[in-house]
Amino acid sequence: MDGKFISFEGPDGAGKTSVIQQIQQQLEDQLGTEKVMYTREPGGNKISEQIRQVLFDGQNTDMDGRTEALLFAAARRQHIVSEIIPGLKAGRVILCDRFVDSSIAYQGAGRGLGEKEIWQINQFAIDGLMPSLTIYLDIESEIGLRRIAEHRSNQINRLDKEKLAFHQTVRQSYLKLYKNYPERIKLIDASQPLEKVIEDVKATIHDRFSDLF
Ligand code: TMP
């Protein structure tokens, strides 16, 4: 497959959405819109967006942790088959807002279901497909949560509402992943001003794919 698969990860409030939007815009200016694809998890296609609605429905307060993990993995599977593989075959640069690391950090560590166990169920879902590069936007939990409260209080979802300790556990899990997979995962300090974060992300993408940026 000719395309390039790049995922973006980070705790809530790391500024992931703003970063990806700018990266997408700049890549589209360089390569043309048809060569760049933005997609997000859970979601990215009709079936996975339907699963997303179930996952984030504020009324589903009694959702079991394993149910949640399996739904994320199911949404991921459909996303891979309907969007990511066709995009890669078409030679696109895929900018994927969250992928399997999110499940390991949020369900595996945050929900305490076990990072190894979550990795196992996701191996069935991804069937060997992993991003070539993962940009991890790192932010201290207190700062991340403050940003959410300040900027998007009207959009807080069920998982954002988890307490500070949950977010700290999620971040520690991301940092562990970063330590364990230094070839794939690159850490960017997301507490910097947005322009500097973008600069660092572009340099990191260029290091991995010399024909980009
Ligand atoms: P976002 O669209 O703002 O990134 O929010 C997605 C939320 O879903 C975020 O709180 C992280 C959570 N999530 C998981 O818990 N597990 C997953 O596998 C994915 C993809 C997201």
Side-chain angles (χ1 to χ4, degrees), residues 12 16 41 52 56 72 76 98 102-103 106-107 159:
D12 298 272
K16 204 164 35 63
E41 290 207 345
R52 182 183 175 100
F56 295 149
F72 275 116
R76 178 160 302 125
R98 299 194 180 279
S102 283
S103 282
Y106 282 83
Q107 281 67 53
L159 294 169

Side-chain angles (χ1 to χ4, degrees), residues 66-202:
R66 290 186 185 209
T67 306
E68 181 182 296
L70 289 164
L71 286 174
F72 275 116
R76 178 160 302 125
R77 175 70 197 159
Q78 191 62 37
H79 183 220
I80 288 170
V81 172
S82 329
E83 305 296 321
I84 299 181
I85 291 179
L88 290 173
K89 282 189 175 153
R92 297 201 169 101
V93 178
I94 298 184
L95 306 174
C96 188
D97 190 344
R98 299 194 180 279
F99 197 64
V100 71
D101 301 303
S102 283
S103 282
I104 294 173
Y106 282 83
Q107 281 67 53
R111 293 256 181 261
L113 295 170
E115 287 147 301
K116 214 166 70 204
E117 286 76 3
I118 295 300
W119 177 232
Q120 277 166 358
I121 64 161
N122 273 278
Q123 275 178 311
F124 180 67
I126 65 178
D127 198 20
L129 185 79
M130 282 295 281
S132 310
L133 172 66
T134 296
I135 303 283
Y136 167 54
L137 299 171
D138 184 51
I139 191 92
E140 271 182 43
S141 309
E142 289 83 354
I143 304 178
L145 288 176
R146 206 181 314 135
R147 281 186 183 174
I148 295 173
E150 280 164 11
H151 297 304
R152 30 172 272 221
S153 52
N154 56 337
Q155 291 180 32
I156 290 181
N157 69 40
R158 191 172 64 81
L159 294 169
D160 285 340
K161 286 186 188 157
E162 302 295 337
K163 49 191 184 307
L164 179 63
F166 177 89
H167 286 269
Q168 284 168 333
T169 310
V170 166
R171 179 172 180 237
Q172 289 311 315
S173 178
Y174 270 128
L175 290 171
K176 205 157 65 183
L177 284 164
Y178 164 63
K179 218 175 104 198
N180 289 341
Y181 301 99
E183 285 303 310
R184 174 176 64 86
I185 304 179
K186 304 296 173 192
L187 182 148
I188 308 284
D189 175 3
S191 69
Q192 305 177 99
L194 182 61
E195 300 71 46
K196 179 70 172 76
V197 175
I198 305 278
E199 234 175 73
D200 288 359
V201 172
K202 283 166 65 177

Side-chain angles (χ1 to χ4, degrees), residues 11-28:
D12 298 272
K16 204 164 35 63
T17 307
S18 320
V19 170
I20 301 178
Q21 274 171 1
Q22 292 212 27
I23 294 293
Q24 179 186 4
Q25 186 61 59
Q26 294 189 28
L27 279 175
E28 284 181 355

